[in-house]
Amino acid sequence: MSTNPPNLRPDLAPKARLDGLAPQSKMRDTARPGQPTIGMVSLGCPKALVDSERILTRLRAEGYGISPDYAGANAVIVNTCGFLDSAKAESLSAIGEALQENGRVIVTGCLGAEPDYITGAHPSVLAVTGPHQYEQVLDAVHDAVPPSPDPFVDLLPASGVSLTPRHFSYLKISEGCNHKCKFCIIPDMRGRLQSRPAHAVLREAEKLVESGVRELLVISQDTSAYGVDIKHATDRGHRAHITDLARDLGSLGAWVRLHYVYPYPHVRQLIPLMAEGLVLPYLDIPFQHAHPDVLRRMARPAAAAKTLDEIAAWRAVCPDLTIRSTFIVGYPGETEAEFQTLLDWMDAAQLDRVGCFQYENVEGARSNALPDHVAEEVKQNRWERFMAKAQAISEAKLAAKVGQRMEVIIDEIDDEAATCRTKADAPEIDGNLFIDEGFENLSVGEIVAVEVDEAGEYDLWGSLLG
């Protein structure tokens, strides 16, 4: 049992080290005699985790075994992150570890868009491919470890390989992004918005729910823009628009949680679906800052005051709405007065779940060339002040939940407690609710009713209801 740390990066998936994948996955851990095996290290955000799942699903269908450790793998794929320089360093370190422990390494993912950067540090890697280049990854695996399928043994479940626990799954609805935020190089790495057809998304969701998934986590780079690139096309009775998609997904009987939602005006159409219980009353919106001048320098929408009006309107329709967001402090040119505006805005907005990170230069980002970069010690000071503000808001909001009755989904059970999440908590990035009495007969993935007994800064404790 562990409580949620206050400085957890909001844009990262769980770190999936090679020796930590097997307990979370649905795949068989032991290879048949003569079966070629591949290991996978998946770094970065949930979108990258979905890419890893798709690669492993394809490999599993071709007869490869999936190794839970370096020693048992004929080769290792490292799915990298390249969003920040710190993430690039982590990716290079993971590649180096895989080379040291196994020696045969294929690199893919966002950092793969910079092959010279990777081969300059690790010239012995077998191949480098960019993000969501599934065919190239498979070709590289075939070259390194030829397939040897047994059609009578190598059967793949309809739901594919999953790197998340059995009861929840990420559902990627689009790739790429049309925004041009100066601090971000995602469009350069992953391209412009490419939405999946709505019927294909829904078909995947149906298969996941049929296989036992109780919670669908909808992800993309810009969920609100889903379908814009294909003019919200209707295919096989399903329209590629986030409101229609949310309604369709809500009909499947699982929890549906929306991530990375930009506050476009049509977001208002989602709130009644949340009030009705079709989708979870949860919005993950990357506001990034509140001062209009900072937002302009970021090349983001700059109407922070109007955003407060929108938040109030959303809460009027759906009082139980949970809003989570991410922010950047120490952006180039950020003054003390601009930072204070952000703190004041936080007081007014009273966001439920908040993450924050200090600005970093990223190679290729336009923000690097902005004047008046903020000193590191000032960034650190502002980050600490921001997180103290966010923590105080979180603590007060959670204290108000004591005595409430709510449904929770069980993520983990150990000797001390059942670790659960409320509808207000996404996996890994938000808080937990712990049941530390009478939990012995519960099961992971079960949804149960509790009454909240106690609250901390980020987590809750509760008792089972009959």
Side-chain angles (χ1 to χ4, degrees):
M1 183 180 82
S2 61
T3 54
N4 193 41
N7 60 346
L8 189 65
R9 274 279 299 278
D11 54 333
L12 297 183
K15 283 189 175 63
R17 308 304 298 174
L18 182 60
D19 57 2
L21 287 184
Q24 290 186 312
S25 66
K26 301 175 188 171
M27 50 199 161
R28 189 178 71 238
D29 294 335
T30 55
R32 59 173 168 77
Q35 184 177 27
T37 57
I38 302 296
M40 170 71 81
V41 177
S42 189
L43 303 170
C45 65
K47 294 180 287 295
L49 196 68
V50 172
D51 290 341
S52 296
E53 290 176 339
R54 290 179 177 174
I55 292 167
L56 291 179
T57 296
R58 293 282 297 275
L59 290 173
R60 188 70 186 80
E62 293 183 355
Y64 289 90
I66 311 302
S67 174
D69 53 47
Y70 290 115
N74 297 119
V76 176
I77 301 169
V78 180
N79 191 0
T80 59
C81 178
F83 181 55
L84 299 171
D85 286 350
S86 54
K88 291 182 178 181
E90 182 182 16
S91 293
L92 288 183
S93 176
I95 294 167
E97 178 181 303
L99 284 169
Q100 180 178 344
E101 297 294 329
N102 182 276
R104 296 169 60 77
V105 176
I106 296 161
V107 179
T108 189
C110 286
L111 192 57
E114 303 179 50
D116 293 343
Y117 182 83
I118 294 170
T119 56
H122 298 297
S124 61
V125 297
L126 299 178
V128 178
T129 72
H132 57 89
Q133 293 182 344
Y134 307 126
E135 299 301 331
Q136 290 91 325
V137 176
L138 293 172
D139 288 344
V141 172
H142 296 159
D143 289 342
V145 186
S148 180
D150 183 336
F152 297 103
V153 176
D154 298 326
L155 300 176
L156 185 71
S159 60
V161 172
S162 176
L163 301 181
T164 56
R166 185 178 183 82
H167 59 285
F168 70 79
S169 181
Y170 293 106
L171 181 67
K172 188 192 285 190
I173 63 173
S174 65
E175 191 60 80
C177 181
N178 289 346
H179 290 286
K180 296 182 179 179
C181 304
K182 288 188 177 180
F183 57 83
C184 182
I185 59 171
I186 293 295
D188 297 326
M189 292 189 294
R190 291 186 170 259
R192 292 178 61 78
L193 178 69
Q194 298 179 47
S195 299
R196 297 176 62 194
H199 73 87
V201 175
L202 193 63
R203 185 175 64 229
E204 180 183 352
E206 288 170 343
K207 289 182 178 179
L208 289 169
V209 174
E210 288 170 2
S211 71
V213 168
R214 307 294 302 276
E215 179 179 9
L216 299 168
L217 298 114
V218 178
I219 58 169
S220 66
Q221 201 61 43
D222 181 0
T223 297
S224 304
Y226 171 68
V228 168
D229 56 312
I230 54 177
K231 299 181 180 179
H232 302 303
T234 298
D235 191 358
R236 303 179 205 185
H238 300 285
R239 180 172 174 249
H241 188 285
I242 187 57
T243 306
D244 298 69
L245 181 64
R247 187 180 293 108
D248 287 342
L249 293 173
S251 71
L252 300 180
W255 284 11
V256 178
R257 191 180 302 276
L258 302 179
H259 285 283
Y260 314 122
V261 178
Y262 282 75
Y264 302 137
H266 67 257
V267 170
R268 299 170 197 159
Q269 300 168 21
L270 292 170
I271 308 304
L273 303 182
M274 298 178 179
E276 294 168 22
L278 274 178
V279 298
L280 294 183
Y282 181 99
L283 276 180
D284 175 5
I285 299 181
F287 289 120
Q288 305 297 12
H289 211 278
H291 196 284
D293 291 343
V294 177
L295 290 168
R296 288 189 194 98
R297 291 197 297 274
M298 290 178 170
R300 292 181 64 82
K306 201 174 284 187
T307 301
L308 290 175
D309 294 338
E310 282 293 312
I311 291 172
W314 298 337
R315 286 173 169 159
V317 175
C318 184
D320 293 334
L321 179 65
T322 294
I323 303 175
R324 93 163 327 275
S325 190
T326 54
F327 294 86
I328 299 172
V329 296
Y331 191 77
E334 183 189 57
T335 65
E336 178 62 26
E338 290 170 342
F339 175 69
Q340 186 60 50
T341 295
L342 173 57
L343 294 183
D344 295 342
W345 187 90
M346 284 285 292
D347 277 328
Q350 291 288 298
L351 301 184
D352 304 86
R353 305 282 187 263
V354 174
C356 177
F357 54 93
Q358 300 173 42
Y359 171 81
E360 291 181 28
N361 275 346
V362 180
E363 186 177 349
R366 293 179 296 154
S367 56
N368 299 354
L370 290 173
D372 303 320
H373 280 241
V374 178
E376 294 300 320
E377 60 271 18
V378 175
K379 291 181 193 175
Q380 179 67 25
N381 174 265
R382 290 178 182 170
W383 181 86
E384 291 172 358
R385 291 157 61 194
F386 180 93
M387 291 307 299
K389 172 77 68 178
Q391 179 176 303
I393 293 171
S394 173
E395 188 172 12
K397 280 183 164 282
L398 292 183
K401 294 181 183 290
V402 173
Q404 291 185 17
R405 298 184 173 198
M406 58 184 65
E407 286 185 323
V408 299
I409 190 167
I410 302 171
D411 281 343
E412 183 182 349
I413 300 173
D414 59 23
D415 294 338
E416 298 179 50
T419 301
C420 315
R421 287 179 294 108
T422 73
K423 294 179 179 180
D425 299 300
E428 301 293 337
I429 59 175
D430 293 328
N432 295 309
L433 182 144
F434 300 104
I435 303 172
D436 52 14
E437 291 183 0
F439 61 89
E440 292 79 9
N441 295 323
L442 298 178
S443 303
V444 170
E446 191 176 356
I447 296 175
V448 297
V450 300
E451 181 173 327
V452 179
D453 301 325
E454 186 181 342
E457 295 165 345
Y458 297 97
D459 301 297
L460 298 169
W461 284 258
S463 301
L464 277 172
L465 295 173

